[in-house]
């Protein structure tokens, strides 16, 4: 690859579509508003929920300082963590947050980055079977999606409150027995 060819890959735009379903709350996460997706571009400070990314922004967020020198020449494995922290009491808006991290070892001596080999089999003019072996480098994205969603309900609150009250009253009974009954019992048994 030439330096110009690799530079075109850093400006490439990717769309990450994630789908999910919170079964208990009957809430589905699907492709967001198309008008929003067409005009948005992920930026960690201004538009952190946009699912459209430029490869160079992903590299920067993953901590890859010089992608042309390291990641594009030897490959890289990048973890993309998509986190949904949803509060269903505040409406149906459940926006993701994205976290990027390089998970390969770029300073590894044996096989740094991400690479694999492919073979191309063919017959030459003598009908002899030949094989060309190519070592390929690339970017591999590993996606991890986590989601937490909840809605306030009075029933679990009352159960927790009642259980705490029972514990406190049990402690109060035990404290009253230890402080008043047990000294009298101890005194009567000694006399």
């Amino acid at each position: 690859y030439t330096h110009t060819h690799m530079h075109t890959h850093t400006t490439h735009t990717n769309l990450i579509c994630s789908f999910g379903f919170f079964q208990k709350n009957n809430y589905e996460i699907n492709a967001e508003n198309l008008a929003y997706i067409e005009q948005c571009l992920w930026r960690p400070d201004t538009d952190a929920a946009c699912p459209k990314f430029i490869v160079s922004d992903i590299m920067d967020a993953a901590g890859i300082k010089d992608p042309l020198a390291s990641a594009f020449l030897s490959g890289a494995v990048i973890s993309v963590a998509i986190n949904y922290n949803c509060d269903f009491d505040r409406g149906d808006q459940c926006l993701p947050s994205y976290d990027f991290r390089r998970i390969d070892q770029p300073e590894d001596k044996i096989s740094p980055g991400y690479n694999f080999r492919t073979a191309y089999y063919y017959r030459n003019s003598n009908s002899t079977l030949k094989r060309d072996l190519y070592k390929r480098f690339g970017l591999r994205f590993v996606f991890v999606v986590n989601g937490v969603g909840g809605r306030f309900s009075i029933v679990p609150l009352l159960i927790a409150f009642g259980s705490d009250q029972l514990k406190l009253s049990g402690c109060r009974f035990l404290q009253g027995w230890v402080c008043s009954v047990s000294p009298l019992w101890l005194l009567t048994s000694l006399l």
Side-chain angles (χ1 to χ4, degrees), residues 23-112:
Q23 188 172 11
K24 187 174 181 181
N25 294 312
N26 197 22
Y27 183 79
E28 183 176 353
I29 298 168
N30 54 18
E32 291 95 301
N33 185 351
L34 278 174
Y36 168 70
I37 291 175
E38 287 176 2
Q39 58 91 22
C40 79
L41 189 60
W42 180 82
R43 297 282 183 243
D45 301 332
T46 58
D47 204 356
C50 179
K52 199 164 62 172
F53 302 89
I54 295 177
V55 173
S56 61
D57 291 341
I58 293 174
M59 301 284 210
D60 289 341
I64 300 172
K65 300 299 179 210
D66 188 9
L68 294 177
S70 63
F72 281 115
L73 292 179
S74 62
V77 182
I78 298 173
S79 168
V80 180
I82 305 171
N83 297 306
Y84 288 95
N85 190 2
C86 305
D87 183 1
F88 297 120
D89 290 326
R90 296 190 178 171
D92 289 338
Q93 196 169 27
C94 184
L95 299 175
S97 64
Y98 299 93
D99 183 38
F100 302 96
R101 186 167 296 145
R102 185 172 185 170
I103 58 176
D104 66 307
Q105 300 299 322
E107 59 276 339
D108 193 7
K109 301 291 184 224
I110 297 172
S111 180

Side-chain angles (χ1 to χ4, degrees), residues 9 14-15 34 91 102 104 106 116 125 143 166-167 190-191:
H9 291 301
N14 296 311
L15 175 66
L34 278 174
R102 185 172 185 170
D104 66 307
F116 56 95
S125 59
F143 294 93
L166 183 63
K167 288 176 193 172
L190 290 175
L191 294 175

Side-chain angles (χ1 to χ4, degrees), residues 146-168:
N146 293 315
V148 176
R151 176 174 280 147
F152 176 76
S153 177
I154 193 73
V155 174
L157 176 70
L158 292 176
I159 290 173
F161 183 73
S163 132
D164 289 342
Q165 288 298 316
L166 183 63
K167 288 176 193 172
L168 288 174

